[in-house]
Amino acid sequence: MARAPGPIRLSMRLRRHIALLGGTTTVGDCLVALRYLVDPRRLTRGPAIDAYEREFARRVGVRYGFSFSSGRIGLYGVLRALGIGPGDEVLIQVPTHIVVANAIRFAGARPVYVDCRLDSYNIDLDDAARKITPRTKALLLQHTFGIPVDLDAALALARQHKLEVIEDCVHALGATYKGKPVGSFGRAAFFSTEETKTISSTMGGMLVTDDPDLASWLGTFQAACPWPPAPLTRRYLVKLALYYLLLHPSVHGPMRALYERLGERHPLPRPLGQEEHRGVRPAVYEQRLSNAQAAIALRQLRRLDGNLAHRRQVVGAIDRWLTARGHTTPVAPAGSVPAMVRYPLWVEDRAAAVAATRRDLVLGTWFRSVLEDAASPVHGDYPAGACPRAEAAARHLINLPTHGRMTVEDAQRVLATVAGAGTNNLRRVEALAAGPAL
């Protein structure tokens, strides 16, 4: 008598596919978001905001913190607090993001673009010195990818020319320089908790300072900013939870394909509107952070040490893989400890690298332009040819995620794929210097 067949077991296993973001949120964060969605009495205003601001400032090593809907609003506010406006110039490195240039322009000042070094993608202080004029009022220091700027040299330059120093720490939460957190060196510093950053509240930013007079002005500025609309806050919370689920490596591949097919039709809120892409100030610009988002950001801030430990493990593995094969690695200044939100790589053929790694992850392309996400650099008043190394970087940079869902094994697999995507696609140590682009 024939034996009845047993149940058919499906052994198909979806291929791991790593997203650029989503690796900092936990189930607990999603449950907190759900709680605010179900009981919205403290959705917008509530005690989490003060607690988050105090703890964030303490983490950076300063006395005052002010939360906003995004980091750029903090920058805009501190420029106004310092009286920097029409007729003034602010030194700003490229590559950077269009919203940073916009904040300077919206305050009435003029961004003066400074080239980067190619060993760290941080500001070239020699180029900055050449571009100082009697109208220059501030030096904006971007710790690119989470690699600290050479702060001793930068602060000396600022003192020599009596410039205000503002730190752009949107990539660098948790990085240190000679034992002190970045963000504690300048007159003020701004951070981002947008979804691509070290911690995420979907959108959000923080301005910190140790100056009581500046803090008094910023407190007044913050109080005058409108609260975010409740429907927008709810959409941010829904997006946070959806990204936690849909960006999991086991399901991200097919979900990413669906997302790309939807294109601009998807209903999720975006980090910036069409006006800011074109360098135009939106009708609603200044805005506060909601209580619900502050509660989630505070939870993630309290897990920062574990978050950074994982990122440094991934970065260390990438460094070792590259060094063993004679490839270049980013150079941090002596005495600094980076906190890399992504790992930058210079490749000869970016399109080939993106295509080759498509099955494994979404490869980061910060920065595809000297002003990332600008419809064109001209919308940020960038003069073509002003910063040749940054323009070269914008043609060649890719970057790998370092968040909690990116494992050492994932990183090694992707590096091998990138290296094999074309002849000598990863640039070698001897070919990449801090000097002019090759």
Side-chain angles (χ1 to χ4, degrees), residues 13-61:
R13 183 172 179 268
L14 289 173
R15 183 184 179 92
R16 280 179 63 80
H17 195 269
I18 309 300
L20 271 174
L21 54 152
T24 62
T25 302
T26 65
V27 171
D29 297 336
C30 296
L31 292 175
V32 169
L34 180 61
R35 187 184 74 204
Y36 282 103
L37 289 168
V38 171
D39 181 5
R41 286 174 294 180
R42 290 185 171 179
L43 180 72
T44 303
R45 308 185 194 200
I49 295 171
D50 287 342
Y52 173 49
E53 290 174 343
R54 287 194 305 271
E55 197 155 330
F56 198 105
R58 187 162 54 247
R59 178 77 199 210
V60 178

Side-chain angles (χ1 to χ4, degrees), residues 109-436:
R110 185 173 81 89
V112 173
Y113 294 102
V114 179
D115 214 343
C116 67
R117 297 173 57 87
L118 293 183
D119 56 355
S120 64
Y121 306 108
N122 279 331
I123 190 168
D124 179 345
L125 293 170
D126 292 333
D127 191 41
R130 288 190 291 268
K131 292 177 176 176
I132 294 172
T133 75
R135 295 182 296 279
T136 308
K137 294 297 186 291
L139 174 62
L140 185 59
L141 299 176
Q142 174 182 283
H143 303 292
T144 316
F145 294 110
I147 303 168
V149 170
D150 183 344
L151 283 159
D152 285 342
L155 293 173
L157 177 66
R159 284 193 299 269
Q160 179 184 353
H161 295 277
K162 298 181 171 59
L163 305 179
E164 300 285 6
V165 172
I166 303 169
E167 292 180 76
D168 176 349
C169 302
V170 300
H171 295 172
L173 178 59
T176 62
Y177 182 84
K178 296 189 175 177
K180 287 183 58 180
V182 300
S184 63
F185 290 86
R187 189 78 179 276
F190 63 99
F191 294 78
S192 172
T193 58
E194 184 261 344
E195 58 205 16
T196 62
K197 303 308 189 299
T198 306
I199 65 174
S200 171
S201 54
T202 306
M203 281 295 295
M206 185 73 75
L207 189 286
V208 301
T209 183
D210 212 30
D211 184 319
D213 294 330
L214 200 58
S216 177
W217 197 100
L218 286 163
T220 302
F221 170 75
Q222 184 198 51
C225 292
W227 292 96
L232 179 61
T233 299
R234 285 194 290 267
R235 291 174 68 206
Y236 284 146
L237 298 179
V238 169
K239 186 176 185 181
L240 181 103
L242 279 177
Y243 271 24
Y244 172 76
L245 295 171
L246 301 182
L247 301 185
H248 192 280
S250 63
V251 298
H252 181 239
M255 291 300 103
R256 179 70 189 186
L258 176 62
Y259 179 88
E260 290 176 347
R261 282 199 295 273
L262 287 173
E264 293 299 310
R265 294 170 294 169
H266 74 77
L268 301 175
R270 293 167 174 79
L272 68 161
Q274 290 303 313
E275 300 98 335
E276 289 186 87
H277 287 290
R278 302 192 305 274
V280 175
R281 179 175 172 141
V284 178
Y285 185 61
E286 303 103 308
Q287 198 168 90
R288 298 191 64 167
L289 183 72
S290 74
N291 185 65
Q293 290 170 276
I296 290 167
L298 179 57
R299 288 175 54 86
Q300 296 201 13
L301 183 66
R302 289 171 175 168
R303 301 196 303 268
L304 181 61
D305 288 336
N307 178 335
L308 295 175
H310 176 85
R311 292 178 188 273
R312 286 170 177 146
Q313 182 183 37
V314 172
V315 167
I318 296 172
D319 280 341
R320 291 190 295 273
W321 193 98
L322 293 169
T323 301
R325 291 157 179 81
H327 297 300
T328 189
T329 61
V331 178
S336 69
V337 179
M340 293 170 69
V341 69
R342 293 188 190 174
Y343 194 106
L345 296 170
W346 179 291
V347 294
E348 293 305 309
D349 188 339
R350 181 162 57 197
V354 170
T357 57
R358 188 176 297 275
R359 293 184 66 212
D360 292 310
L361 87 168
V362 177
L363 195 64
T365 52
W366 285 351
F367 294 89
R368 294 162 296 181
S369 166
V370 290
L371 291 177
E372 182 73 5
D373 277 337
S376 166
V378 300
H379 294 301
D381 299 327
Y382 175 81
C387 300
R389 292 195 296 278
E391 292 179 18
R395 295 190 297 271
H396 291 282
L397 272 180
I398 61 171
N399 28 90
L400 305 184
T402 60
H403 58 64
R405 287 174 168 173
M406 179 75 159
T407 68
V408 167
E409 293 74 19
D410 292 328
Q412 292 168 338
R413 184 175 69 254
V414 170
L415 285 166
T417 304
V418 169
T423 304
N424 295 325
N425 202 28
L426 281 171
R427 181 167 286 195
R428 292 187 176 276
V429 172
E430 63 273 13
L432 189 58

